[in-house]
Amino acid sequence: MKHQSGRHFLQIPGPTNVPERVLRAIDGATVDHRGPEFQEMSREVLAGLKHVFKTKAPVVIFPASGTGAWEAALVNTLSPGDRVLMVETGHFATLWLNMAAKLGLRPECIKGDWRHGADPAAIEAHLAADRSHLIKAVCVVHNETSTGVTSRIGEVRKSIDRARHPALFMVDTISSLASIDYRHDEWGVDVTVAGSQKGLMLPPGLSFNAVSDKALAASKSARLPRSYWSWEEMIAANQDGWFPYTPATNLLYGLRVALKMLLEEEGLDNVFKRHDRHAEAARRAVGAWGLEVLCANPAEYSSSLTAVLMPEGHSEIAFRKVVLDRFNLSLGSGLTRLRDKVFRIGHLGDFNDLMLLGTLAGIEMGLELAGVPHKKGGVQAAMDYLARGEAAQAAGKAKARAA
Ligand SMILES: *Cc1c(COP(=O)(O)O)cnc(C)c1O
């Protein structure tokens, strides 16, 4: 391949840009995972993670992609033939549903149009109709990465409570954790699933489960086979900072630095505000281009990515190829049902105003080069918004943060 000078713009919604400091921490010598230096680090990381999930419950770490943590959530808590209620918000929710079926569970699906989040009223109605409580878990994706739509997890909790249904509540936060406000304890979530390569600003390779007391209790009688994913051995070993098998030591060193940046140096609330602001600027650019954001409900706009509909008859695949070839900028593709219909702008992780403007400039020029009908001025609209003071931005932004 021909050398391209300058930095590659990795603006897919995960994996995201990894800060230099995190890369340097991962670059260190591999240590003895049964030695004192490792023990001290892992205790620090396990404690720090709880703040990111907003929980007092244990958070376990698997050397796996996010898909592994999906599987861990299901196999630790459920038994063969159990019914699980899944909400089809998009590609990732569908993959989780398919996994449940492959594991021998019986998924029941609330269908969706891929432009809205999970509907709390539909979940309530479905659970209320399950009078004998055959459904053992409700699974929702917090931020559907294929569509740029969030689900209101606090509202879904309330709908489960209104139906007086005892099902476990499981939430995938793989592309929202540490980018969009999330509260494992306050929202009464039983298993939260997360991954390292999106808001946590690490390379792929780690995934997480935050585990409530109720989920732990369910794991005692759950009968799906599990070994590698078993919480029991993991939580027991973690008490003293150890792992039941070799952890991804170097990624954990990176995680320690990422947690310090998120929790101590920037602060989670500021991290969320930064993501909200970049998402709003991106949507203003899309509006100025005369294009349409896929998410149909402003209360459900994602702050970690924006999916943009291509005008009828135009290919997002051809458009993204132009942008990559000419500007060394990677954008997210349209997945399954959305193939060749939307492109996705990732604006999560280690990101700032000028990186966003560079990304939007690449898109605006790409639209021109690919012959996609649009109006000029998207980058200008984003600049106008970003250059305004914080107070003016807060006042001008009626958007209710999805909760
Ligand atoms: C990325 C992603 C996944 C898949 O995670 P992998 O690390 O690729 O296994 C699942 N769910 C959501 C919401 C995601 O964004």
Side-chain angles (χ1 to χ4, degrees), residues 34-107:
R34 304 191 200 282
E37 187 200 330
F38 178 82
Q39 184 186 31
E40 190 186 320
M41 184 275 298
S42 68
R43 280 180 163 152
E44 191 182 323
V45 163
L46 289 164
L49 277 174
K50 293 183 193 230
H51 295 287
V52 182
F53 286 81
K54 298 195 178 162
T55 185
K56 294 192 164 55
V59 178
V60 299
I61 310 173
F62 296 107
S65 88
T67 300
W70 267 347
E71 181 161 340
L74 300 175
V75 297
N76 276 286
T77 53
L78 299 166
S79 299
D82 277 354
R83 286 170 207 265
V84 290
L85 180 59
M86 322 279 296
V87 187
E88 187 211 7
T89 47
H91 172 75
F92 289 101
T94 304
L95 287 181
W96 201 7
L97 181 149
N98 293 344
M99 172 189 275
K102 285 183 218 163
L103 290 170
L105 299 166
R106 273 195 271 176

Side-chain angles (χ1 to χ4, degrees), residues 13-15 64-70 91-93 95-96 141-146 172-176 193-198 204-207 305 344 348:
S65 88
T67 300
W70 267 347
H91 172 75
F92 289 101
L95 287 181
W96 201 7
V141 174
H142 182 209
N143 184 69
E144 178 51 77
T145 320
S146 60
D172 168 344
T173 65
I174 296 177
S175 64
S176 56
V193 174
S196 55
Q197 77 273 28
K198 303 189 185 180
L206 295 179
S207 61
L305 76 137
R344 296 171 299 144
L348 74 165

Side-chain angles (χ1 to χ4, degrees), residues 92-157:
F92 289 101
T94 304
L95 287 181
W96 201 7
L97 181 149
N98 293 344
M99 172 189 275
K102 285 183 218 163
L103 290 170
L105 299 166
R106 273 195 271 176
E108 295 182 5
C109 181
I110 297 178
K111 294 274 180 203
D113 66 356
W114 293 36
R115 299 192 73 171
H116 292 83
D119 175 5
I123 292 172
E124 183 178 344
H126 198 106
L127 291 177
D130 176 34
R131 290 210 183 76
S132 37
H133 296 166
L134 293 175
I135 294 170
K136 299 302 174 197
V138 177
C139 302
V140 176
V141 174
H142 182 209
N143 184 69
E144 178 51 77
T145 320
S146 60
T147 62
V149 180
T150 56
S151 285
R152 290 158 289 156
I153 300 303
E155 296 299 310
V156 174
R157 172 77 259 169

